[in-house]
Amino acid sequence: MGRVALRGIRAHLVRFLLSVLAVALGVAFVAGTFSLRTMLSSTFNSIVETTMLGDAYARGALEDGAEGPSVAEGGDVGGARERIPLTLVEELEAVDGVATVVPDIAGQVVLVGADGTAVINTQAPSFGMAYDPDDPTMVLSDGRAPATAGEVALETVTMESAGLAIGDSTTVIVGGALVPVEVVGEISGSGPLAGATITTFDEQTALEVFAPDGKTATIAVYAEDGVDQAELVDAIESVAAADDAEVLTGDLMREEASASIEEALGFVETFLLVFAAISLFVGAFIIANTFTMSVRQRMRELALLRAVGASPTQVFASVLIQAAVVGVLGSLAGVAGGLGLVSLLRVVFEQMGMDLTGSIPLDGFTVVVSVLIGTVVSVVAAALPARRAALVPPVEAMRDDVADVEHSLRTRAVVGLLLLVLGGATVAFTALAPDSITWVADNAGVMLGVGAGAVVIGMLAIAPVIARTTLRIMAAPFVAGLKPIGTLARGNVTRNPRRTASTAGALMIGMALVGAASVLAASTQASTATIVEDEFTGDLIVQSATYAIPQEAIDTMADVDGVGSADAIAFASVRIAAEGEEPASDYVIGVETVAFDRALNVTVVDGDLASLDSGEAAVKRADAENRDWQVGDELTVSLDGASVTVPIGAIIDTRALGSPVILPMDVYERVVPATASTVDTVIIEAADGVAVADLQADLTETVKPYVILSVMDQEAFASTLADQVDQVLTILYALLGLSIVIAVLGIVNTLALSVIERTREIGLLRAVGLGRLQLAGTVTIESVLTAVFGTVTGVLVGVGLASALPAVYADEGLTALVIPWASLGWMLALAVVVGMLAAVWPAVRAARLPVLEAVSYE
Amino acid sequence: MRALAADLTGAGHIASARGLVKVYGKGETAVRALDGVDVDFARGELTAIMGPSGSGKSTLMHCMAGLDTPTSGTVLVGGEDVGRMNQRALTKLRRTRLGFVFQAFNLIPTLTAEENITLPLDIARASVDREWFDLVVDAVGLRDRLDHRPNELSGGQQQRVACARALVSRPAVVFADEPTGNLDSRSSGEVLGFLRRSVDDLAQSVVMVTHDPTAASYAHRVLFLADGRLVGELEAPTPETVLEALRAYSPAGRPAGQHAAQVRA
Ligand SMILES: Nc1ncnc2c1ncn2[C@@H]1O[C@H](COP(=O)(O)OP(=O)(O)O)[C@@H](O)[C@H]1O
Ligand SMILES: [Mg+2]
């Protein structure tokens, strides 16, 4: 039987080719994700290994209630920890066995390159640090060390991407101020830095700007020769403990750093794998279709096998063997494709200045898991057709024409309808339930997910049931306009609704996701536009490309003629607790209370904003409800040992301000030091009688030296926010693109196979005078109808489900429901184009069939 | 019985062939399916072609109908030189000037009987001549089956639909390759009766291949083919005279009809 199966594949290789391709594409995504992760992980781990060389590290204790090692951010390992005093450095240096002590003195800076723009390397961070001659991770390779406030040394790659050289003058935005500096030296790091921009300062300057409080996050300790890590930790432990610092070995520290990197990469991996899974799922449709059609075509052959004594199990196995062969071939091609994809990505990243040195590994895990996934998917997809093959009665072999037993679609109709109704009801209920039913709000995500899943599966199940009628209606214009070929095409797509529906189903899934994403994006954009319009009452809004506006720039802007007021909105990560609550990490916003009169418009739900003038706090309604805060409750806001306790003076509704607690600036400054505070937005009000456009021009000129700042009016601000949404949307579209490509292959596959299946019919049509173009037209109309059917059902499902989101997530700022009709129209147009493209090859094949051979085709 | 009486011009005939040769394959394995056939098919006649299996009957039909290109020789249909036509012209010829009926699988399963019948007209974007359509449909006796799909029709009914389709465009000539080959004798009778009526009452011209002496007896004239050559003909045949002729023309005096029944091509 195995031989029969393999011969079958060899004889009809072309028929299985697209299935192999579908598996290959899905598996390429999986393998690519795995090896991308491995590459990133080895890149970042080698950064850890070459930049964290200490034999021991001292760091602050965990803040109350904070959880273990947190996700690494910008090389700053360990988030919610107390800072430790720099005086510890000298104490540690005095300990026996200690060779060198290097405190971590670093912070965000902006380096202006030779071309006058900020040096920003895609997603890699840009930071400044103290140049420490004792630090073995930095070697001065050229020039000299920075000695005064006006001097910097740049890391080699940074120097290159900034286009600067030793002796050049440029500017650096550091500590909130624009500082003219001269490049005096070049530092070579001891390893790859994935494109991070590194500027080093003299120790004095660095201390002033990055550690004005005399504290640091970590201190690296290097041992003298012959002292091992454990001995070093023992030696310095008591000294550190006196300053409330804990000590751990360098190896442990590196392990923690690696663990948090792995965790972060794990998220990326999971995110990508979701899209890979969608692609594979869609690919499974192609495989299922291929095997259904191949089994149908080989009915007589299979019956013959049964007649000569093959058992149903053997027939079943022979089909599954074919599926496994398809799966293995596709998977192997996919693994190769995945590696190619990642190599390509690396080149792209390199072009963007992000050096990913990690090797692209062909590890056993990637190969085994990818091949396994691809094979299992195709075997599972072929299981139903295989069962059908196994159940062929041997007597079929004697029959002249193979009866096409169409099983009743009743079960499908019932199950599909049930799932659609239940799923739809769940989603609708989640969206429409009154706020009083709290368990709905608490489980909204799960309920939406389950409901949406049910609707999608229900739609897939019911698609063949509705296909006939729907396709008839959609085909009407073709039938009326293109006489015989419209009718022929309609007959072809409706004759086997199961096949048409599952071909279209693959496209439906992708289009549902694209439709949902486009509704979500349009709604988000409209929602943010209303936020801007309703809540930002100032004339101009200033924001920064690095999300941080230097303090000096704010002061400068406030002094510009024509500026009535400039209100900065500052935020910081702190710990917040009401009485009797465990402190929890959260954000707090600091703003001058007058801003509520002129720059911001928020709705007061309870209490009074005037209370902020007397030092009380405002809290957002959603958080107040969640955490049961009332006006008058006392909140304790703390950071690094400093803390304030303030009563809640007002509960407000706002979407412009993103943190649960808003403090008056003077209170905010009592707990948040300047180094921990970030101003991300400044709202400017023009003085009376000053034209906003003129002011905008003036301010733009003023902030020009701060290369990262942009001054926007409301409209520009809203469109900037919309652009950010579009960027996310573009990434989503790109990731969903593959599943749509696979779905298109599915259409090509079905068409090509049914052209083979209909060879005699095509011969007959040609014999009675159907021209080649007419024949190609028939195939094309079939294809377009299938694609449009998939797209329309998909878009209906996607848009329908996404329409529930604003009702559920209004509190999170999604207040408007916008259905982007234009985009949906484009999707429909895309479906037509896709249908036409998918038809090209099958149509050419059909047209090329020699009439006579086709007529006598068995 | 008269000698091979083809006048050299073929004028006055609905279809004719001169020196028709068809060779399949090359070199050692080459098969001369037609080996110099000169034949004329008379206007307004039902002509039957008989011969042993493999004698080239289907090949002759295909070459006459422009479905296959002869190796040499000329084919005229309704005064037009089929051999000189390109694919496009042949396609047009097939849908306007020719009708074709195969042994089986004549109908498009997704179309109703009526749609199948009017298919050549629809393809040509020609309007249906209702009067003619009614005449043909009534002649095949399928008026009450027009809305049925092929799988709802019996084999005989399907072949009659196919005949109606072949006639609907008023072709110069209808070629039918064993149109009753798959039918029982009663259904065969219906189909053959219709073909004969279409000639007698509707003034059409039909050429059909058959193995069955009874079927051949419906024709005005029977031509006998052997090894790719025309070996004889018979006017106003009856089953008996046909059988007799078959015996005479078959190689070892063996009845060709029996031979063919054993090895169906
Ligand atoms: N496509 C083909 N390729 C090769 N040989 C063929 C082909 N079609 C027919 N033949 C050969 O040509 C001869 C005549 O065939 P055919 O016209 O089908 O005979 P008939 O219809 O009288 O049984 C046979 O020997 C047959 O094997
Ligand atoms: Mg034949």
Side-chain angles (χ1 to χ4, degrees), chain A residues 484 491 495 760-761 764-769 774 852 855, chain B residues 62 68 91 94-95 102 105-106 108-110 119 122-123:
Chain A
R495 82 166 81 180
R760 278 182 77 163
E761 205 176 308
L764 177 66
L765 283 167
R766 297 272 289 124
V768 297
Q774 287 176 308
L852 204 53
V855 174
Chain B
H62 295 153
D68 210 349
T91 303
R94 285 202 295 271
R95 70 181 171 222
F102 298 100
F105 202 83
N106 266 301
I108 301 297
T110 54
L119 190 58
D122 288 340
I123 291 172

PDB file of all heavy atoms in Angstrom, chain A residues 484 491 495 760-761 764-769 774 852 855, chain B residues 62 68 91 94-95 102 105-106 108-110 119 122-123:
ATOM      1  N   PRO A 484     -22.991  32.688 -22.119  1.00  0.00           N
ATOM      2  CA  PRO A 484     -22.798  31.292 -21.718  1.00  0.00           C
ATOM      3  C   PRO A 484     -21.766  31.162 -20.612  1.00  0.00           C
ATOM      4  O   PRO A 484     -21.904  30.342 -19.728  1.00  0.00           O
ATOM      5  CB  PRO A 484     -22.302  30.615 -22.995  1.00  0.00           C
ATOM      6  CG  PRO A 484     -21.662  31.701 -23.772  1.00  0.00           C
ATOM      7  CD  PRO A 484     -22.233  33.005 -23.331  1.00  0.00           C
ATOM      8  N   GLY A 491     -22.455  27.621 -12.662  1.00  0.00           N
ATOM      9  CA  GLY A 491     -22.640  26.187 -12.463  1.00  0.00           C
ATOM     10  C   GLY A 491     -21.437  25.555 -11.787  1.00  0.00           C
ATOM     11  O   GLY A 491     -21.574  24.741 -10.882  1.00  0.00           O
ATOM     12  N   ARG A 495     -21.728  23.864  -8.091  1.00  0.00           N
ATOM     13  CA  ARG A 495     -21.988  22.431  -8.200  1.00  0.00           C
ATOM     14  C   ARG A 495     -21.464  21.679  -6.992  1.00  0.00           C
ATOM     15  O   ARG A 495     -21.993  20.650  -6.614  1.00  0.00           O
ATOM     16  CB  ARG A 495     -21.430  21.871  -9.492  1.00  0.00           C
ATOM     17  CG  ARG A 495     -19.954  21.540  -9.448  1.00  0.00           C
ATOM     18  CD  ARG A 495     -19.569  20.681 -10.621  1.00  0.00           C
ATOM     19  NE  ARG A 495     -19.376  21.494 -11.821  1.00  0.00           N
ATOM     20  CZ  ARG A 495     -19.028  20.987 -12.989  1.00  0.00           C
ATOM     21  NH1 ARG A 495     -18.878  19.705 -13.135  1.00  0.00           N
ATOM     22  NH2 ARG A 495     -18.833  21.760 -14.016  1.00  0.00           N
ATOM     23  N   ARG A 760     -12.817  16.443 -19.495  1.00  0.00           N
ATOM     24  CA  ARG A 760     -13.734  16.006 -20.555  1.00  0.00           C
ATOM     25  C   ARG A 760     -14.774  17.065 -20.870  1.00  0.00           C
ATOM     26  O   ARG A 760     -15.117  17.305 -22.027  1.00  0.00           O
ATOM     27  CB  ARG A 760     -14.448  14.735 -20.120  1.00  0.00           C
ATOM     28  CG  ARG A 760     -13.615  13.518 -20.344  1.00  0.00           C
ATOM     29  CD  ARG A 760     -14.365  12.306 -19.940  1.00  0.00           C
ATOM     30  NE  ARG A 760     -15.357  11.935 -20.927  1.00  0.00           N
ATOM     31  CZ  ARG A 760     -15.923  10.738 -20.965  1.00  0.00           C
ATOM     32  NH1 ARG A 760     -15.593   9.832 -20.072  1.00  0.00           N
ATOM     33  NH2 ARG A 760     -16.813  10.451 -21.866  1.00  0.00           N
ATOM     34  N   GLU A 761     -15.254  17.668 -19.785  1.00  0.00           N
ATOM     35  CA  GLU A 761     -16.268  18.694 -19.965  1.00  0.00           C
ATOM     36  C   GLU A 761     -15.697  19.865 -20.765  1.00  0.00           C
ATOM     37  O   GLU A 761     -16.359  20.424 -21.646  1.00  0.00           O
ATOM     38  CB  GLU A 761     -16.661  19.157 -18.575  1.00  0.00           C
ATOM     39  CG  GLU A 761     -18.025  19.745 -18.471  1.00  0.00           C
ATOM     40  CD  GLU A 761     -18.304  20.054 -17.024  1.00  0.00           C
ATOM     41  OE1 GLU A 761     -18.135  19.141 -16.183  1.00  0.00           O
ATOM     42  OE2 GLU A 761     -18.661  21.192 -16.727  1.00  0.00           O
ATOM     43  N   LEU A 764     -15.488  18.921 -24.315  1.00  0.00           N
ATOM     44  CA  LEU A 764     -16.800  18.985 -24.937  1.00  0.00           C
ATOM     45  C   LEU A 764     -17.182  20.419 -25.288  1.00  0.00           C
ATOM     46  O   LEU A 764     -17.656  20.703 -26.400  1.00  0.00           O
ATOM     47  CB  LEU A 764     -17.835  18.387 -23.974  1.00  0.00           C
ATOM     48  CG  LEU A 764     -19.275  18.432 -24.430  1.00  0.00           C
ATOM     49  CD1 LEU A 764     -19.448  17.532 -25.637  1.00  0.00           C
ATOM     50  CD2 LEU A 764     -20.189  17.988 -23.308  1.00  0.00           C
ATOM     51  N   LEU A 765     -16.943  21.318 -24.325  1.00  0.00           N
ATOM     52  CA  LEU A 765     -17.271  22.726 -24.570  1.00  0.00           C
ATOM     53  C   LEU A 765     -16.509  23.256 -25.767  1.00  0.00           C
ATOM     54  O   LEU A 765     -17.048  23.958 -26.621  1.00  0.00           O
ATOM     55  CB  LEU A 765     -16.943  23.571 -23.336  1.00  0.00           C
ATOM     56  CG  LEU A 765     -17.956  23.451 -22.192  1.00  0.00           C
ATOM     57  CD1 LEU A 765     -17.395  24.068 -20.918  1.00  0.00           C
ATOM     58  CD2 LEU A 765     -19.256  24.153 -22.575  1.00  0.00           C
ATOM     59  N   ARG A 766     -15.226  22.889 -25.812  1.00  0.00           N
ATOM     60  CA  ARG A 766     -14.415  23.358 -26.930  1.00  0.00           C
ATOM     61  C   ARG A 766     -14.921  22.730 -28.230  1.00  0.00           C
ATOM     62  O   ARG A 766     -14.942  23.368 -29.276  1.00  0.00           O
ATOM     63  CB  ARG A 766     -12.957  22.993 -26.689  1.00  0.00           C
ATOM     64  CG  ARG A 766     -12.373  23.666 -25.470  1.00  0.00           C
ATOM     65  CD  ARG A 766     -11.794  25.025 -25.763  1.00  0.00           C
ATOM     66  NE  ARG A 766     -10.578  24.935 -26.533  1.00  0.00           N
ATOM     67  CZ  ARG A 766     -10.398  25.529 -27.685  1.00  0.00           C
ATOM     68  NH1 ARG A 766     -11.368  26.256 -28.188  1.00  0.00           N
ATOM     69  NH2 ARG A 766      -9.265  25.414 -28.342  1.00  0.00           N
ATOM     70  N   ALA A 767     -15.349  21.457 -28.154  1.00  0.00           N
ATOM     71  CA  ALA A 767     -15.829  20.775 -29.354  1.00  0.00           C
ATOM     72  C   ALA A 767     -17.085  21.435 -29.897  1.00  0.00           C
ATOM     73  O   ALA A 767     -17.285  21.499 -31.098  1.00  0.00           O
ATOM     74  CB  ALA A 767     -16.082  19.304 -29.062  1.00  0.00           C
ATOM     75  N   VAL A 768     -17.937  21.932 -29.005  1.00  0.00           N
ATOM     76  CA  VAL A 768     -19.137  22.589 -29.518  1.00  0.00           C
ATOM     77  C   VAL A 768     -18.879  24.060 -29.789  1.00  0.00           C
ATOM     78  O   VAL A 768     -19.815  24.810 -30.042  1.00  0.00           O
ATOM     79  CB  VAL A 768     -20.370  22.428 -28.604  1.00  0.00           C
ATOM     80  CG1 VAL A 768     -20.749  20.979 -28.487  1.00  0.00           C
ATOM     81  CG2 VAL A 768     -20.143  23.058 -27.251  1.00  0.00           C
ATOM     82  N   GLY A 769     -17.621  24.488 -29.695  1.00  0.00           N
ATOM     83  CA  GLY A 769     -17.308  25.804 -30.210  1.00  0.00           C
ATOM     84  C   GLY A 769     -16.933  26.874 -29.208  1.00  0.00           C
ATOM     85  O   GLY A 769     -16.809  28.041 -29.564  1.00  0.00           O
ATOM     86  N   GLN A 774     -13.004  32.480 -24.109  1.00  0.00           N
ATOM     87  CA  GLN A 774     -14.244  32.272 -23.363  1.00  0.00           C
ATOM     88  C   GLN A 774     -14.031  31.279 -22.231  1.00  0.00           C
ATOM     89  O   GLN A 774     -14.528  31.457 -21.129  1.00  0.00           O
ATOM     90  CB  GLN A 774     -15.345  31.769 -24.296  1.00  0.00           C
ATOM     91  CG  GLN A 774     -15.863  32.855 -25.230  1.00  0.00           C
ATOM     92  CD  GLN A 774     -16.878  32.305 -26.213  1.00  0.00           C
ATOM     93  OE1 GLN A 774     -16.618  31.327 -26.892  1.00  0.00           O
ATOM     94  NE2 GLN A 774     -18.030  32.951 -26.280  1.00  0.00           N
ATOM     95  N   LEU A 852      -9.296  17.265 -28.620  1.00  0.00           N
ATOM     96  CA  LEU A 852      -9.587  15.861 -28.861  1.00  0.00           C
ATOM     97  C   LEU A 852      -9.185  14.988 -27.678  1.00  0.00           C
ATOM     98  O   LEU A 852      -9.925  14.118 -27.240  1.00  0.00           O
ATOM     99  CB  LEU A 852      -8.863  15.402 -30.130  1.00  0.00           C
ATOM    100  CG  LEU A 852      -9.488  14.206 -30.814  1.00  0.00           C
ATOM    101  CD1 LEU A 852     -10.961  14.440 -31.078  1.00  0.00           C
ATOM    102  CD2 LEU A 852      -8.763  13.937 -32.136  1.00  0.00           C
ATOM    103  N   VAL A 855     -11.569  15.437 -24.816  1.00  0.00           N
ATOM    104  CA  VAL A 855     -12.845  14.761 -24.977  1.00  0.00           C
ATOM    105  C   VAL A 855     -12.734  13.299 -24.579  1.00  0.00           C
ATOM    106  O   VAL A 855     -13.624  12.729 -23.969  1.00  0.00           O
ATOM    107  CB  VAL A 855     -13.324  14.855 -26.443  1.00  0.00           C
ATOM    108  CG1 VAL A 855     -14.583  14.036 -26.636  1.00  0.00           C
ATOM    109  CG2 VAL A 855     -13.600  16.304 -26.808  1.00  0.00           C
TER     110      VAL A 855
ATOM    111  N   HIS B  62     -13.300  12.956 -36.682  1.00  0.00           N
ATOM    112  CA  HIS B  62     -12.568  14.067 -36.057  1.00  0.00           C
ATOM    113  C   HIS B  62     -11.947  14.978 -37.101  1.00  0.00           C
ATOM    114  O   HIS B  62     -11.972  16.206 -36.964  1.00  0.00           O
ATOM    115  CB  HIS B  62     -11.499  13.530 -35.110  1.00  0.00           C
ATOM    116  CG  HIS B  62     -12.085  12.794 -33.922  1.00  0.00           C
ATOM    117  ND1 HIS B  62     -11.422  11.805 -33.251  1.00  0.00           N
ATOM    118  CD2 HIS B  62     -13.287  12.900 -33.305  1.00  0.00           C
ATOM    119  CE1 HIS B  62     -12.171  11.330 -32.281  1.00  0.00           C
ATOM    120  NE2 HIS B  62     -13.324  11.982 -32.281  1.00  0.00           N
ATOM    121  N   ASP B  68      -9.451  17.419 -35.360  1.00  0.00           N
ATOM    122  CA  ASP B  68      -8.109  16.891 -35.521  1.00  0.00           C
ATOM    123  C   ASP B  68      -7.598  17.375 -36.870  1.00  0.00           C
ATOM    124  O   ASP B  68      -8.388  17.598 -37.787  1.00  0.00           O
ATOM    125  CB  ASP B  68      -8.162  15.355 -35.483  1.00  0.00           C
ATOM    126  CG  ASP B  68      -6.870  14.772 -34.921  1.00  0.00           C
ATOM    127  OD1 ASP B  68      -5.891  15.535 -34.773  1.00  0.00           O
ATOM    128  OD2 ASP B  68      -6.858  13.562 -34.616  1.00  0.00           O
ATOM    129  N   THR B  91     -12.713  26.924 -34.243  1.00  0.00           N
ATOM    130  CA  THR B  91     -13.647  27.069 -33.125  1.00  0.00           C
ATOM    131  C   THR B  91     -14.960  27.664 -33.613  1.00  0.00           C
ATOM    132  O   THR B  91     -16.049  27.206 -33.267  1.00  0.00           O
ATOM    133  CB  THR B  91     -13.025  27.971 -32.034  1.00  0.00           C
ATOM    134  OG1 THR B  91     -11.788  27.404 -31.634  1.00  0.00           O
ATOM    135  CG2 THR B  91     -13.940  28.084 -30.835  1.00  0.00           C
ATOM    136  N   ARG B  94     -16.907  25.190 -35.656  1.00  0.00           N
ATOM    137  CA  ARG B  94     -17.559  24.167 -34.845  1.00  0.00           C
ATOM    138  C   ARG B  94     -18.873  24.673 -34.260  1.00  0.00           C
ATOM    139  O   ARG B  94     -19.837  23.943 -34.145  1.00  0.00           O
ATOM    140  CB  ARG B  94     -16.623  23.701 -33.713  1.00  0.00           C
ATOM    141  CG  ARG B  94     -15.511  22.783 -34.194  1.00  0.00           C
ATOM    142  CD  ARG B  94     -14.968  21.955 -33.049  1.00  0.00           C
ATOM    143  NE  ARG B  94     -14.323  22.753 -32.023  1.00  0.00           N
ATOM    144  CZ  ARG B  94     -13.043  23.067 -32.033  1.00  0.00           C
ATOM    145  NH1 ARG B  94     -12.265  22.655 -33.007  1.00  0.00           N
ATOM    146  NH2 ARG B  94     -12.529  23.785 -31.065  1.00  0.00           N
ATOM    147  N   ARG B  95     -18.879  25.949 -33.876  1.00  0.00           N
ATOM    148  CA  ARG B  95     -20.094  26.378 -33.214  1.00  0.00           C
ATOM    149  C   ARG B  95     -21.161  26.891 -34.165  1.00  0.00           C
ATOM    150  O   ARG B  95     -22.309  27.052 -33.779  1.00  0.00           O
ATOM    151  CB  ARG B  95     -19.796  27.391 -32.115  1.00  0.00           C
ATOM    152  CG  ARG B  95     -19.344  28.747 -32.584  1.00  0.00           C
ATOM    153  CD  ARG B  95     -19.063  29.639 -31.395  1.00  0.00           C
ATOM    154  NE  ARG B  95     -18.435  30.852 -31.806  1.00  0.00           N
ATOM    155  CZ  ARG B  95     -17.422  31.426 -31.163  1.00  0.00           C
ATOM    156  NH1 ARG B  95     -16.946  30.896 -30.076  1.00  0.00           N
ATOM    157  NH2 ARG B  95     -16.907  32.551 -31.609  1.00  0.00           N
ATOM    158  N   PHE B 102     -21.060  12.811 -29.298  1.00  0.00           N
ATOM    159  CA  PHE B 102     -20.107  11.768 -28.902  1.00  0.00           C
ATOM    160  C   PHE B 102     -20.855  10.551 -28.380  1.00  0.00           C
ATOM    161  O   PHE B 102     -22.055  10.583 -28.136  1.00  0.00           O
ATOM    162  CB  PHE B 102     -19.176  12.292 -27.806  1.00  0.00           C
ATOM    163  CG  PHE B 102     -18.339  13.443 -28.245  1.00  0.00           C
ATOM    164  CD1 PHE B 102     -18.693  14.746 -27.919  1.00  0.00           C
ATOM    165  CD2 PHE B 102     -17.198  13.232 -29.002  1.00  0.00           C
ATOM    166  CE1 PHE B 102     -17.918  15.807 -28.326  1.00  0.00           C
ATOM    167  CE2 PHE B 102     -16.425  14.298 -29.414  1.00  0.00           C
ATOM    168  CZ  PHE B 102     -16.779  15.593 -29.081  1.00  0.00           C
ATOM    169  N   PHE B 105     -20.931  11.197 -22.478  1.00  0.00           N
ATOM    170  CA  PHE B 105     -20.502  12.474 -21.893  1.00  0.00           C
ATOM    171  C   PHE B 105     -20.632  13.608 -22.891  1.00  0.00           C
ATOM    172  O   PHE B 105     -19.678  14.238 -23.286  1.00  0.00           O
ATOM    173  CB  PHE B 105     -19.069  12.376 -21.377  1.00  0.00           C
ATOM    174  CG  PHE B 105     -18.796  13.410 -20.354  1.00  0.00           C
ATOM    175  CD1 PHE B 105     -19.163  13.192 -19.031  1.00  0.00           C
ATOM    176  CD2 PHE B 105     -18.242  14.633 -20.695  1.00  0.00           C
ATOM    177  CE1 PHE B 105     -18.956  14.151 -18.091  1.00  0.00           C
ATOM    178  CE2 PHE B 105     -18.040  15.614 -19.752  1.00  0.00           C
ATOM    179  CZ  PHE B 105     -18.393  15.367 -18.439  1.00  0.00           C
ATOM    180  N   ASN B 106     -21.870  13.848 -23.252  1.00  0.00           N
ATOM    181  CA  ASN B 106     -22.149  14.882 -24.235  1.00  0.00           C
ATOM    182  C   ASN B 106     -22.628  16.180 -23.632  1.00  0.00           C
ATOM    183  O   ASN B 106     -22.715  17.184 -24.306  1.00  0.00           O
ATOM    184  CB  ASN B 106     -23.251  14.386 -25.172  1.00  0.00           C
ATOM    185  CG  ASN B 106     -22.668  13.742 -26.389  1.00  0.00           C
ATOM    186  OD1 ASN B 106     -21.935  14.384 -27.103  1.00  0.00           O
ATOM    187  ND2 ASN B 106     -22.983  12.469 -26.591  1.00  0.00           N
ATOM    188  N   ILE B 108     -23.096  19.164 -20.395  1.00  0.00           N
ATOM    189  CA  ILE B 108     -22.472  19.839 -19.268  1.00  0.00           C
ATOM    190  C   ILE B 108     -23.376  19.621 -18.052  1.00  0.00           C
ATOM    191  O   ILE B 108     -24.538  20.030 -18.061  1.00  0.00           O
ATOM    192  CB  ILE B 108     -22.331  21.345 -19.553  1.00  0.00           C
ATOM    193  CG1 ILE B 108     -21.487  21.576 -20.816  1.00  0.00           C
ATOM    194  CG2 ILE B 108     -21.725  22.073 -18.366  1.00  0.00           C
ATOM    195  CD1 ILE B 108     -20.071  21.076 -20.712  1.00  0.00           C
ATOM    196  N   PRO B 109     -22.848  18.974 -16.996  1.00  0.00           N
ATOM    197  CA  PRO B 109     -23.722  18.582 -15.882  1.00  0.00           C
ATOM    198  C   PRO B 109     -24.368  19.750 -15.152  1.00  0.00           C
ATOM    199  O   PRO B 109     -25.400  19.571 -14.505  1.00  0.00           O
ATOM    200  CB  PRO B 109     -22.792  17.803 -14.943  1.00  0.00           C
ATOM    201  CG  PRO B 109     -21.412  18.057 -15.404  1.00  0.00           C
ATOM    202  CD  PRO B 109     -21.475  18.487 -16.822  1.00  0.00           C
ATOM    203  N   THR B 110     -23.756  20.925 -15.234  1.00  0.00           N
ATOM    204  CA  THR B 110     -24.314  22.040 -14.461  1.00  0.00           C
ATOM    205  C   THR B 110     -25.416  22.780 -15.206  1.00  0.00           C
ATOM    206  O   THR B 110     -26.063  23.648 -14.643  1.00  0.00           O
ATOM    207  CB  THR B 110     -23.214  23.056 -14.095  1.00  0.00           C
ATOM    208  OG1 THR B 110     -22.567  23.448 -15.302  1.00  0.00           O
ATOM    209  CG2 THR B 110     -22.214  22.444 -13.147  1.00  0.00           C
ATOM    210  N   LEU B 119     -26.515  25.843 -25.913  1.00  0.00           N
ATOM    211  CA  LEU B 119     -25.126  26.216 -25.636  1.00  0.00           C
ATOM    212  C   LEU B 119     -24.358  26.754 -26.847  1.00  0.00           C
ATOM    213  O   LEU B 119     -23.739  27.825 -26.760  1.00  0.00           O
ATOM    214  CB  LEU B 119     -24.398  25.016 -25.016  1.00  0.00           C
ATOM    215  CG  LEU B 119     -23.005  25.275 -24.444  1.00  0.00           C
ATOM    216  CD1 LEU B 119     -23.057  26.344 -23.363  1.00  0.00           C
ATOM    217  CD2 LEU B 119     -22.410  23.990 -23.877  1.00  0.00           C
ATOM    218  N   ASP B 122     -25.492  30.213 -27.495  1.00  0.00           N
ATOM    219  CA  ASP B 122     -25.051  31.130 -26.451  1.00  0.00           C
ATOM    220  C   ASP B 122     -23.581  31.460 -26.614  1.00  0.00           C
ATOM    221  O   ASP B 122     -23.157  32.604 -26.464  1.00  0.00           O
ATOM    222  CB  ASP B 122     -25.281  30.508 -25.073  1.00  0.00           C
ATOM    223  CG  ASP B 122     -26.764  30.459 -24.718  1.00  0.00           C
ATOM    224  OD1 ASP B 122     -27.525  31.228 -25.338  1.00  0.00           O
ATOM    225  OD2 ASP B 122     -27.153  29.665 -23.836  1.00  0.00           O
ATOM    226  N   ILE B 123     -22.805  30.408 -26.922  1.00  0.00           N
ATOM    227  CA  ILE B 123     -21.366  30.636 -27.101  1.00  0.00           C
ATOM    228  C   ILE B 123     -21.134  31.601 -28.246  1.00  0.00           C
ATOM    229  O   ILE B 123     -20.306  32.500 -28.167  1.00  0.00           O
ATOM    230  CB  ILE B 123     -20.640  29.302 -27.382  1.00  0.00           C
ATOM    231  CG1 ILE B 123     -20.652  28.432 -26.121  1.00  0.00           C
ATOM    232  CG2 ILE B 123     -19.208  29.559 -27.822  1.00  0.00           C
ATOM    233  CD1 ILE B 123     -20.143  27.025 -26.342  1.00  0.00           C
TER     234      ILE B 123
END
